[in-house]
Amino acid sequence: MMASKATAQPLSLKIASGAFLAFWCVLAAFPIAWIAVMSVKSPRDAFAASAWDVITGPVTRDSGNGLSFLDIALGLTFLFFAVRWAFTRLPRMVQQLSPPGFIMLGWLVGSAVYGILFVLIFFGVLPSVFGALNSIAGPLGTPILGLTTEHYVAVWAENQFYRNFMNSMIVTAGVVTISLTVGTLAGYGLARSGSNLAFWLLILALVFRALPHSVLVAGYLPWFINSAEILRPIFGDLSPTLYGQPWAVIAVLVSINQPFTIWMLRSFFQNIPSELDEAARVDGCSHFQAFRRVIMPVMWPGVITTGLFSFLLGYNDFLVTALLLDAQNQTMVPAIAGYFNRETTTTDQVEAVAAAVSITAPLFLLVMVFQRQIVSGLTAGAVKG
């Protein structure tokens, strides 16, 4: 009783902490919420001087694009159950339907299927259903809030933003796959090694990670430009030019990200008792079998957490992709920056906002699906035990 009273926070501290947390949440969420509102308005509404006009979109509504009270109520209800299903039912289904030893693949497939179904239902099926209901709902079916998806159609269909999305997925998948494969093996070896060489390798990796990205790009650039000549003795006339291709970006981003993954995964492996390795060896497993069958199943939360950070590096990178990729292979972030130039109109700016909102959707999906593994992984990496 005395200990609980001694550690109890004063009421003033609780109020101050709660107020600071609420202020931080509003400050962090406001830009995302605001550009989401702007992306579904006409240019006049999106850049209106009045915040109320930006929210309600009178010009957008008067042009025949709007939501009724019935649309808003049913849409929010669908979003509530969709988010709830993603947090509760989806993890259980992945656990039940994934083959043994392929839980990571199950999560990837489950996330992709969930995302596709959500987009098809929310943007394909529901508008038709809402339109039919509004025609018979009377006053409840009258538009009260201006909203249009024409900018998303322009970005993804007319401007072929899906090509940039596919390029981003190729780069990100390559970075995550190579970083985690090398990182898990190197992190495991360094965590189980007691030599001084392991310490100096980690220090070298940390120094390499501290280098500016532009230094690495400048170092790799001549080799990528002259790759056809360098590889000609091996591939002959089929030797590729790596400059402008996703493989060049993957190589540089892996070089940037690999020290981080090694350090992070090593800390996770250090929290796994070495007695598990010894028990597996006693049961007849080789070193690699003990690593794959005993250690890795325990390590999945740490691997998923590290994979998320690797995903964010490849997904959000601007400098490396802008310098090394040509226009045909450009990823999403540099493509959005390309909307802004001397001839940019307000319509182009709203389309850029719609593209920016689009690229945040996969990030929210990842966090929702892997939230338990992320929290477990961060806790395992922070607590020595």
Side-chain angles (χ1 to χ4, degrees), residues 13-218:
L13 180 59
K14 291 182 179 179
I15 296 175
S17 301
F20 176 78
L21 181 61
F23 174 75
W24 181 87
C25 290
V26 172
L27 193 66
F30 174 77
I32 300 175
W34 192 252
I35 64 172
V37 172
M38 291 178 61
S39 67
V40 292
K41 308 297 181 183
S42 66
R44 287 183 58 186
D45 286 333
F47 295 101
S50 171
W52 181 249
D53 288 342
V54 177
I55 296 173
T56 58
V59 177
T60 308
R61 184 188 62 228
D62 294 341
S63 63
N65 300 307
L67 293 178
S68 65
F69 178 83
L70 183 63
D71 294 333
I72 297 173
L74 294 179
L76 291 177
T77 302
F78 173 80
L79 289 176
F80 170 78
F81 284 105
V83 173
R84 182 178 179 181
W85 194 87
F87 276 90
T88 57
R89 297 289 300 277
L90 182 60
R92 290 201 298 265
M93 291 183 63
V94 170
Q95 295 287 345
Q96 294 172 359
L97 300 178
S98 298
F102 292 92
I103 187 66
M104 187 67 175
L105 179 62
W107 276 111
L108 294 176
V109 174
S111 303
V113 172
Y114 176 82
I116 293 173
L117 289 177
F118 178 85
V119 171
L120 291 177
I121 295 175
F122 192 77
F123 295 101
V125 177
L126 289 185
S128 301
V129 175
F130 290 167
L133 294 176
N134 286 331
S135 61
I136 60 175
L140 294 179
T142 303
I144 59 174
L145 186 67
L147 183 144
T148 178
T149 58
E150 62 182 13
H151 305 300
Y152 289 93
V153 174
V155 167
W156 287 92
E158 298 176 11
N159 300 339
Q160 297 182 336
F161 194 66
Y162 64 89
R163 296 182 182 273
N164 305 114
F165 176 79
M166 293 303 299
N167 293 331
S168 292
M169 291 298 101
I170 292 172
V171 170
T172 303
V175 172
V176 172
T177 302
I178 298 175
S179 296
L180 290 184
T181 301
V182 177
T184 50
L185 295 174
Y188 177 70
L190 293 172
R192 294 296 185 259
S193 175
S195 67
N196 291 330
L197 179 61
F199 171 78
W200 289 110
L201 286 175
L202 288 169
I203 294 299
L204 181 62
L206 184 62
V207 172
F208 193 79
R209 180 67 179 86
L211 292 175
H213 295 184
S214 57
V215 173
L216 295 177
V217 173

Side-chain angles (χ1 to χ4, degrees), residues 184 264-265 268-269 272 294-304:
T184 50
M264 193 165 185
L265 289 170
F268 287 123
F269 280 119
I272 298 177
V294 178
I295 303 301
M296 282 307 298
V298 183
M299 268 290 296
W300 274 123
V303 172
I304 291 175

